[in-house]
Amino acid sequence: MQARPALEVADIFRAHGPAWRDAQRGHLSLAQLKVMSAITQCRTAALGGHVLRCDGCGQDEVSYNSCRNRHCPKCQSSAAKRWLDARQADLLPVEYYHVVFTLPAPIADIAHQNKAALYGLLFDIAAETLLRIAADPKHLGAHIGATLVLHTWGSALTHHPHVHGIVPGGGFAPDGKTWVACRPGFFLPVRVLSRLFRRRFLEELQRLHDGGALRFFGEHAALAEPVTFKAWLAPLRQCEWVVYAKRPFAGPQAVLAYLSRYTHRVAISNSRLLAMDERGVTFRWKDYRATGKTRHKAMTLSPQEFMRRFLLHVLPGGFHRIRHYGLLANSNRRDNLALARQLLQVAAPPTEAAAADGLDSPRPTFVCAHCGHAMVVLQVFLRDCSIRAPPAP
C-alpha cells in the first residue's frame, strides 16, 4: 500500500475551504463546489467503504471509497491504469510523435470565460490541422490518426490551455491499400502546422462570435461589440502561434509510459505539495524559461490563491478531455487498426486477440500489504455507516 503524502490538496480544502467558500459565495460555480466537496470526502468514512481480511495472516484493513472525481489527485492513478490497459491493443509497431498546440495568452483569457466552446474548438482545430497537412501529398499524403489530451494549466497552476497530441508516424494511402510511413525522425513541418492552426482557429473564433456563442465579463466585456472584437483579433493574425513537435518516442512502450503520466493528470499532484503553514501553501514547480537545475523552484501562495488557481481548471460537466481523431476515432478504430496491422503485416497483440475470443479479464483483487496474500471483503459499510453483507463471489 502506498504511503499517504504528508500534505494533500484535500488537507488545504478542509482547513481553508469553508471560510473561502463563504467569502466567494456567488462567485464559485456548482462544478467547482462539487470538486471541493468530492476531494475533501475522498477516501474518508463520508463515502463509505469496506472491511478486508487477509487469507494469509488474518490482518483486517478498512478501505474507504474513492470519490472518482476526475479532478481529484488521489483518484487518477487507478483511472489512468484502466485507460492504459485498454490502449495497449491500440499501439502499432511504428514511430509515434508528440505534438503540442497552445493558445496565445489573449485567447486563453477569453477561453476561461468560454470553456466548453473554446476548449472544444482547440481540440477540433488541432485535429483538423494534423489531418489536413498529413493528407496533403506535398507532405505525407496519408489519412492519419491522433489522440489528443487537453491540459489547461502551467506548472504554477496558471491558466495555460494546450493539447498534447500522440500521433502514429504514418497512415493509410488515399486508396486505403497501403501504409504510408513518415520519414524516419520527421513527422510534419511545424511552421506549416502553426500557420494553418492559427488561420483556422481565428476563422472559427470569429464564426462563434458572429453567432453570439461567446460571453465576455469584466475587463473583456467590451469584446462583445463586433467592431471591438475584430480589432482585438487583428494582432493575433500576425503573432506566432506555438505548435511544438518533439522527437519520436523510443518505441511503443515509451508511448505508454508517456500516456500514463499525461492522460489523467490533474492541475497539481499531491507529491508536489511541500508545506502548509503560516506563510501559505508551498509547492514545487518548473520554470520553463530557466535552464538546468534552476528550472525546479518552490512557490508559496496564500491558501485562498492556491484554491482559486486549482479551481481554474475544473472542466465543464460532460466535457471529454481525451479525444481520438482520424483513423483512431472511436466509431471505427477497431476496424482501422486491424487494417493497419494487415498493411504493416503484423499480428494483433494478445490482449486484442483475447478480447476477440470473448475471454474476460481477471477480476480485480485486493492484496495484503503485509504478506502479499489475497484479501476478502468481510463487510461493506455505506455513507451512513450502516453495514451490509459482502458482495457475492
Side-chain angles (χ1 to χ4, degrees):
M1 181 178 296
Q2 244 181 351
R4 182 185 184 274
L7 178 63
E8 297 181 345
V9 172
D11 298 324
I12 300 166
F13 281 156
R14 289 189 194 106
H16 300 281
W20 189 65
R21 274 197 300 268
D22 289 342
Q24 297 295 315
R25 192 178 299 277
H27 297 287
L28 295 174
S29 69
L30 179 60
Q32 290 172 323
L33 292 171
K34 285 183 175 179
V35 168
M36 292 183 73
S37 176
I39 290 176
T40 54
Q41 293 182 346
C42 186
R43 298 185 192 174
T44 69
L47 297 185
H50 41 269
V51 179
L52 306 170
R53 174 164 294 172
C54 176
D55 279 344
C57 63
Q59 179 83 14
D60 286 352
E61 180 181 303
V62 176
S63 179
Y64 294 120
N65 293 334
S66 300
C67 68
R68 297 192 177 187
N69 189 286
R70 60 177 168 171
H71 301 92
C72 176
K74 287 202 288 277
C75 288
Q76 294 312 298
S77 59
S78 56
K81 186 180 186 309
R82 290 192 300 271
W83 189 85
L84 285 170
D85 289 343
R87 298 283 79 77
Q88 287 268 7
D90 294 352
L91 290 177
L92 297 171
V94 299
E95 284 189 325
Y96 276 77
Y97 293 84
H98 176 197
V99 292
V100 183
F101 292 83
T102 302
L103 290 180
I107 293 181
D109 289 342
I110 66 168
H112 181 252
Q113 300 178 352
N114 300 273
K115 288 183 175 182
L118 292 199
Y119 291 169
L121 189 60
L122 172 58
F123 266 119
D124 292 342
I125 299 303
E128 177 191 326
T129 299
L130 288 169
L131 269 58
R132 281 182 59 177
I133 299 302
D136 190 334
K138 292 187 297 184
H139 300 293
L140 184 60
H143 176 52
I144 66 167
T147 294
L148 302 183
V149 182
L150 174 69
H151 285 183
T152 63
W153 54 84
S155 186
L157 292 180
T158 51
H159 188 236
H160 178 63
H162 56 287
V163 292
H164 294 263
I166 300 91
V167 191
F172 298 152
D175 60 6
K177 295 181 179 179
T178 57
W179 178 267
V180 180
C182 296
R183 299 203 314 263
F186 180 80
F187 178 48
L188 294 171
V190 171
R191 189 177 182 86
V192 176
L193 291 171
S194 176
R195 293 292 186 272
L196 180 59
F197 176 58
R198 178 180 65 185
R199 177 172 67 81
R200 287 292 298 123
F201 193 96
L202 292 177
E203 286 175 353
E204 294 304 314
L205 186 62
Q206 182 68 64
R207 194 187 310 275
L208 286 175
H209 190 279
D210 293 343
L214 301 180
R215 301 184 303 166
F216 303 97
F217 305 99
E219 63 185 57
H220 297 105
L223 293 179
E225 295 297 325
V227 174
T228 304
F229 187 75
K230 188 174 181 180
W232 177 83
L233 278 186
L236 293 168
R237 302 182 191 278
Q238 308 302 321
C239 69
E240 291 294 333
W241 286 42
V242 177
V243 176
Y244 178 57
K246 296 187 176 182
R247 290 164 48 190
F249 292 102
Q253 292 309 311
V255 177
L256 285 178
Y258 173 84
L259 286 172
S260 69
R261 296 194 303 271
Y262 273 80
T263 51
H264 291 71
R265 182 176 285 184
V266 296
I268 188 169
S269 63
N270 288 328
S271 62
R272 286 176 54 200
L273 299 176
L274 298 175
M276 177 175 63
D277 51 31
E278 66 280 356
R279 297 182 303 128
V281 177
T282 303
F283 60 94
R284 288 193 298 271
W285 70 292
K286 186 184 291 186
D287 184 355
Y288 288 94
R289 294 169 296 182
T291 57
K293 293 182 179 180
T294 58
R295 270 190 166 193
H296 300 277
K297 302 178 179 180
M299 176 180 291
T300 300
L301 301 173
S302 70
Q304 295 74 24
E305 176 63 9
F306 177 89
M307 291 185 289
R308 186 193 73 82
R309 291 195 189 188
F310 184 92
L311 294 173
L312 283 176
H313 310 291
V314 173
L315 296 176
F319 188 91
H320 296 282
R321 67 184 189 93
I322 306 173
R323 303 187 185 187
H324 309 278
Y325 294 87
L327 63 85
L328 297 180
N330 289 330
S331 58
N332 55 2
R333 178 169 61 229
R334 178 170 292 185
D335 292 341
N336 284 336
L337 289 172
L339 176 58
R341 292 192 181 94
Q342 179 183 332
L343 297 177
L344 291 165
Q345 298 181 340
V346 296
T351 51
E352 187 173 285
D357 291 338
L359 301 177
D360 292 330
S361 57
R363 293 180 63 184
T365 57
F366 300 99
V367 178
C368 178
H370 300 280
C371 68
H373 282 77
M375 302 189 78
V376 296
V377 178
L378 280 186
Q379 60 190 29
V380 176
F381 53 93
L382 308 178
R383 290 173 185 245
D384 60 1
C385 296
S386 60
I387 302 296
R388 69 182 183 190

